Amino acid sequence: MGRWEPNAGGRLARAALVLSAEKGYEATTVAEIAAAAGVTERTFYRYFPDKADAVFPDNRELLVVLAGVVEDASRTGQSPLDAALVAVHRLATYASEEPERARLSAMVIPSVPALAGRELVRQRQTSEALSGGLAAAGVPRLEAQLAAESALAVWRVAVAEWARDNWSQPLPEVVTATAEAARTLNRG
Amino acid sequence: MGRWEPNAGGRLARAALVLSAEKGYEATTVAEIAAAAGVTERTFYRYFPDKADAVFPDNRELLVVLAGVVEDASRTGQSPLDAALVAVHRLATYASEEPERARLSAMVIPSVPALAGRELVRQRQTSEALSGGLAAAGVPRLEAQLAAESALAVWRVAVAEWARDNWSQPLPEVVTATAEAARTLNRG
DNA sequence: AATGTGATGTCAGAATCTGACATCAGAGAG
DNA sequence: CTCTCTGATGTCAGATTCTGACATCACATT
């Protein structure tokens, strides 16, 4: 055993999300989060570059996975847009694996501008991962970017629909339905 | 004449952008911006809720205009997506009216996470304005949201292309070309 | 047993942002 | 013309975020 309780980063992330849900993100200070996790404020900043990052799970691995998914889908002959939508569906499945966390995040993030901005930056990284995967499968750059952005557009609308429904339906199903609606829109 | 130079807000906004372009946004302190504008730091915060807002022009009026544009376009019988693209083209025209400011913003914003987040929040507001305009013209909500998000996807890709080209071509033309590419993508 | 390493603590400080109160030129009331 | 009020700005204090520099000490290595 170490000199301190292990998994300080995990305790900090959990404390950040729980406290933010309880009393609001902005009303929660880093000092409180650190105290709840049993460390000092300085240690918090050794695990997270800033306060917002504590409520966002690190998803760099996920981006790599998604890039691979979209690349494979594209190689099987699906259109760039369909391939990107496969990856978005995978993203929904991933989010569904921790439904409680997803729901908490969905409730906390939109009401806080700083977090909303961070979330959108993350979406942009996702977009880049998707277009990168398509490009790796040989799709021309412009086409790849458009497909990725269009798929993310479906994602945003789907998440909004999901919230409108008080998060009652499974997110992957909402994504599938929204993607179908988008297809109809583009054909009509 | 008042007791102080008039247009303190304008001087602050200009100073914020110029200083950020010169030495970087994060390296520019609010105290410096205020000093350059000839006011105190406290006065800065009377004009802008935070530092990031000083480099973003207030565009609430523009959003209203765009909603009107898309509503009119929709009423003339254009498809929701085409109507939304008309509004995006208008947005490009608007940005072109102050090309130097647009270029400065394009150079400063993407490299600063805090500003990038703010920019994306603004895009979401634009998306809501567009889908609102479509809804006002009788387009069903889901369809309106998808059209708005798809049009904004075109906008994002177009701005990226514009930057890739070192901002040499007029933005409205880049938007038109990108929209055409998107149409081809959806048909193919 | 000596030494090194790494996670954490401690301390100081810059920068952002907010609340409370003071100041004073000019506008309007009388 | 004088009085008063208003509104923009200044002044001051303080909470909070975030960073750099150095100290500590259980555990691992040798």
Side-chain angles (χ1 to χ4, degrees), chain A residues 80-81 110 113 116-117 120-121 124 141-143 145-147 149-150 153-154 156-157 160-161 164 178 181-182 185-186, chain B residues 80-81 110 113 116-118 120-121 124 141-143 145-147 149-150 153-154 156-157 160-161 164 178 181-182 185-186:
Chain A
L81 181 55
L120 292 173
V121 167
R124 197 178 59 183
R141 184 178 48 77
L142 185 64
E143 200 175 334
Q145 286 181 4
L146 284 166
E149 283 292 346
S150 299
V154 167
R156 278 187 282 271
V157 175
E161 287 294 303
R164 259 181 67 86
T178 306
L185 181 65
N186 284 326
Chain B
L81 181 55
R118 192 65 59 101
L120 292 173
V121 167
R124 197 178 58 183
R141 184 178 48 77
L142 185 65
E143 199 174 335
Q145 286 181 4
L146 283 167
E149 284 291 346
S150 299
V154 168
R156 277 187 282 271
V157 175
E161 287 294 303
R164 260 181 65 86
T178 307
L185 181 65
N186 284 327

Side-chain angles (χ1 to χ4, degrees), chain B:
Chain B
M1 253 203 301
R3 191 164 153 201
W4 297 274
E5 288 297 310
N7 194 27
R11 294 202 312 278
L12 283 166
R14 168 177 296 277
L17 192 57
V18 169
L19 288 174
S20 294
E22 272 177 11
K23 49 186 284 190
Y25 169 81
E26 283 158 328
T28 303
T29 70
V30 172
E32 289 168 343
I33 297 170
V39 297
T40 62
E41 191 180 316
R42 190 65 184 85
T43 292
F44 174 94
Y45 287 105
R46 291 201 174 93
Y47 282 91
F48 303 100
D50 62 40
K51 192 177 149 187
D53 277 310
V55 305
F56 280 91
D58 179 20
N59 64 334
R60 271 167 298 187
E61 303 165 23
L62 177 60
L63 291 185
V64 175
V65 171
L66 292 182
V69 167
V70 72
E71 182 178 348
D72 292 346
S74 184
R75 287 194 196 285
T76 65
Q78 301 200 54
S79 75
L81 181 55
D82 283 338
L85 285 172
V86 168
V88 166
H89 192 271
R90 166 68 76 94
L91 181 57
T93 304
Y94 177 84
S96 293
E97 283 170 11
E98 288 189 277
E100 198 47 33
R101 167 161 199 111
R103 221 176 57 83
L104 272 182
S105 297
M107 292 180 67
V108 172
I109 292 174
S111 58
V112 183
L115 295 181
R118 192 65 59 101
E119 167 68 13
L120 292 173
V121 167
R122 202 168 69 163
Q123 284 182 23
R124 197 178 58 183
Q125 290 168 350
T126 306
S127 165
E128 283 163 8
L130 296 188
S131 63
L134 288 171
V139 176
R141 184 178 48 77
L142 185 65
E143 199 174 335
Q145 286 181 4
L146 283 167
E149 284 291 346
S150 299
L152 261 294
V154 168
W155 168 260
R156 277 187 282 271
V157 175
V159 171
E161 287 294 303
W162 184 52
R164 260 181 65 86
D165 215 59
N166 280 98
W167 308 284
S168 61
Q169 294 180 40
L171 182 54
E173 291 181 16
V174 180
V175 166
T176 302
T178 307
E180 192 48 47
R183 263 185 271 269
T184 304
L185 181 65
N186 284 327
R187 283 207 207 91

Side-chain angles (χ1 to χ4, degrees), chain A residues 59-165:
Chain A
N59 64 335
R60 270 167 298 186
E61 303 166 22
L62 176 60
L63 291 184
V64 174
V65 170
L66 292 181
V69 167
V70 72
E71 182 179 347
D72 291 347
S74 183
R75 287 193 195 285
T76 65
Q78 301 201 53
S79 76
L81 181 55
D82 283 339
L85 285 171
V86 168
V88 166
H89 192 272
R90 165 69 76 93
L91 182 57
T93 305
Y94 177 85
S96 293
E97 284 171 11
E98 288 188 279
E100 198 48 33
R101 168 162 198 112
R103 225 176 54 85
L104 267 184
S105 296
M107 293 180 69
V108 172
I109 292 174
S111 59
V112 183
L115 295 181
R118 192 63 60 102
E119 166 69 11
L120 292 173
V121 167
R122 204 169 67 163
Q123 284 183 24
R124 197 178 59 183
Q125 291 168 351
T126 306
S127 165
E128 283 164 8
L130 296 188
S131 65
L134 288 172
V139 176
R141 184 178 48 77
L142 185 64
E143 200 175 334
Q145 286 181 4
L146 284 166
E149 283 292 346
S150 299
L152 261 295
V154 167
W155 167 261
R156 278 187 282 271
V157 175
V159 170
E161 287 294 303
W162 184 53
R164 259 181 67 86
D165 215 58

